[in-house]
Amino acid sequence: ALTLEILGHTEAEIKKHVEQLTELVGLTGKEDLFPSQISGGELQRTVIARALASKPKILFADEPTGNLDETTAMQIMDLLSEINEMGTTVILATHSKEIVNQIQHRVIVLENGKLLKDEKSGQYTLQ
């Protein structure tokens, strides 16, 4: 809600948008909880919701699954895929071979600032 308040939205707009975002990320009913009261996966969902509040055209996700168990990581990846399908470009930075191989979207490999690979439907491969 703070992001929307800063952007100058009315209280009614904020309430509606917060409801939409919490539903999208699967946190309905947890809007008033503190960070210490929710799980790591729920914290990550909160960060994603906050990032989406300003309706960005591009969402940068830097290791969004880094500290999560495999099941929760895949739920976060499903959420990011859904966000992408809704029209937001998602740029994901990860070291996870499993995630790269499962989603099979465009893969760009950079090393020391140089482009090593750019594939439309890539896999994780060692160089």
Side-chain angles (χ1 to χ4, degrees):
L2 179 60
T3 300
L4 297 168
E5 188 175 327
I6 290 168
L7 292 172
H9 290 269
T10 66
E11 285 187 41
E13 291 171 330
I14 292 170
K15 183 177 189 232
K16 181 180 178 185
H17 205 56
V18 166
E19 287 174 4
Q20 292 170 339
L21 287 170
T22 54
E23 183 178 341
L24 173 67
V25 300
L27 292 175
T28 301
K30 298 187 178 195
E31 298 87 351
D32 295 326
L33 296 179
F34 289 97
S36 62
Q37 296 174 298
I38 59 178
S39 71
E42 291 169 333
L43 285 171
Q44 193 64 326
R45 290 171 184 278
T46 301
V47 170
I48 292 168
R50 186 175 55 223
L52 292 174
S54 63
K55 299 181 181 178
K57 293 181 182 184
I58 301 174
L59 177 66
F60 292 93
D62 185 7
E63 294 288 352
T65 62
N67 296 322
L68 304 175
D69 63 80
E70 186 177 330
T71 301
T72 305
M74 293 321 301
Q75 291 171 348
I76 295 298
M77 290 309 303
D78 289 344
L79 174 59
L80 291 173
S81 290
E82 183 179 348
I83 291 164
N84 179 246
E85 289 169 12
M86 293 168 51
T88 300
T89 298
V90 177
I91 298 177
L92 171 73
T94 185
H95 291 92
S96 172
K97 173 183 171 181
E98 294 78 18
I99 288 173
V100 172
N101 290 344
Q102 182 171 350
I103 62 174
Q104 296 185 12
H105 283 260
R106 183 175 181 191
V107 174
I108 298 172
V109 177
L110 301 172
E111 186 174 299
N112 296 323
K114 295 187 180 184
L115 178 67
L116 298 182
K117 175 170 121 176
D118 184 350
E119 295 179 358
K120 185 175 182 175
S121 181
Q123 291 279 313
Y124 182 95
T125 56
L126 296 174
Q127 300 296 331

